[in-house]
Amino acid sequence: MAGARRGPGGSASLRLRESTLPLFAHLAELVGRDRDENAERGTGTSYEAAPPPAVPAEVTRSVPVMASMALLLVTWAGMFGALFVATFFLQRRLGPDPLTTGLRVLPLTALMIIGAPAAAAGVRRFGPRRTAVAGQAGVVLAVVGLSRLSPASSWPETGALFAVLGAGFAAALVTSTGTVVGDAPRGYAGVIGGLKQTAMNVGPTLGIAVVAGLMPLASSAGAAPAEAARAMSGSAMGQALAVAALAALGLVPASALPRR
């Protein structure tokens, strides 16, 4: 009698419910399970993974790598900031031709070339920390000496200061570069190489920006262009002390490098 009451249509409807109810139950189970997993992860209803950081945590946690990056930044800033003001002083205040100016700065290039292998030997004997601190101290002393130049300064005095600047720069550069390569976390050589190149590009811009921003506009309405240029170059040599202070900041990351 129950079959008769259902009839053909009732049997079809019953079979449809019996076949679709397990399907809906399974879908509801899947949705509920996914919602619970998202709640446990704290992602809410978002199904997109968070993008990885630009600089991995393994790199930022490496003290030698981060110290080397900071040392590269301030060393390049001090180097190019000093060259910027020295160019004003030599060519605008003393008035030599470009060839004579290049000959005066030649000890800088010579000591950078000679100082690179010497710095590598120093790292092997004394360790990265001592070599980097000595090199950065040389950069600071050379920049301070350049800020005290006057028209009465002789060629040997100018050449000696540029030689110290080149030797100190080579020691700091070789040590920081070797530390970055040697202490790089495994698998992140590309990231560290990009950071190193960024520091070497931003450093010169920072040094020149500091000096140019502090350089006073000494020209007046009635001053001749040559007199204004001499006044500006003389003031610019005083601004080299700001570059020296910037380079002195490199002593902090240099002291954080490994002893061996």
Side-chain angles (χ1 to χ4, degrees):
M1 292 180 65
R5 285 195 301 268
R6 284 197 302 266
S11 299
S13 176
L14 179 61
R15 286 195 300 272
L16 180 61
R17 288 196 300 270
E18 290 176 351
S19 61
T20 55
L21 284 177
L23 177 61
F24 284 113
H26 183 63
L27 290 176
E29 181 182 359
L30 291 178
V31 172
R33 184 186 306 170
D34 188 68
R35 185 172 57 248
D36 294 340
E37 291 178 355
N38 287 334
E40 292 177 0
R41 290 195 302 262
T43 59
T45 58
S46 176
Y47 295 93
E48 297 182 0
V55 180
E58 289 81 356
V59 176
T60 57
R61 285 197 297 262
S62 177
V63 175
V65 171
M66 291 293 100
S68 299
M69 296 298 175
L71 180 59
L72 283 170
L73 179 69
V74 295
T75 302
W76 281 88
M79 176 72 163
F80 277 80
L83 290 179
F84 185 81
V85 293
T87 301
F88 270 95
F89 177 80
L90 292 176
Q91 291 197 293
R92 296 295 184 183
R93 188 76 180 271
L94 301 183
D97 56 84
L99 177 60
T100 304
T101 302
L103 291 176
R104 285 207 174 194
V105 185
L106 188 59
L108 170 70
T109 305
L111 265 294
M112 286 178 62
I113 297 174
I114 299 173
V123 171
R124 290 192 296 268
R125 182 172 181 178
F126 302 106
R129 180 180 298 179
R130 292 181 179 179
T131 306
V133 169
Q136 195 66 19
V139 172
V140 175
L141 292 177
V143 176
V144 172
L146 289 174
S147 69
R148 300 177 62 85
L149 289 178
S150 67
S153 300
S154 61
W155 276 54
E157 182 182 356
T158 306
L161 290 174
F162 279 117
V164 173
L165 180 60
F169 179 78
L173 181 64
V174 169
T175 306
S176 56
T177 302
T179 303
V180 164
V181 174
D183 294 78
R186 186 180 301 274
Y188 295 101
V191 175
I192 293 176
L195 291 175
K196 172 179 171 291
Q197 193 63 39
T198 301
M200 294 171 62
N201 291 334
V202 174
T205 305
L206 175 63
I208 294 175
V210 169
V211 174
L214 295 176
M215 185 180 296
L217 297 178
S219 60
S220 60
E227 295 177 357
R230 284 194 295 270
M232 183 180 295
S233 61
S235 300
M237 290 309 299
Q239 305 308 318
L241 292 176
V243 181
L246 180 62
L249 294 177
L251 294 172
V252 177
S255 62
L257 295 180
R259 293 182 179 272
R260 288 291 177 184

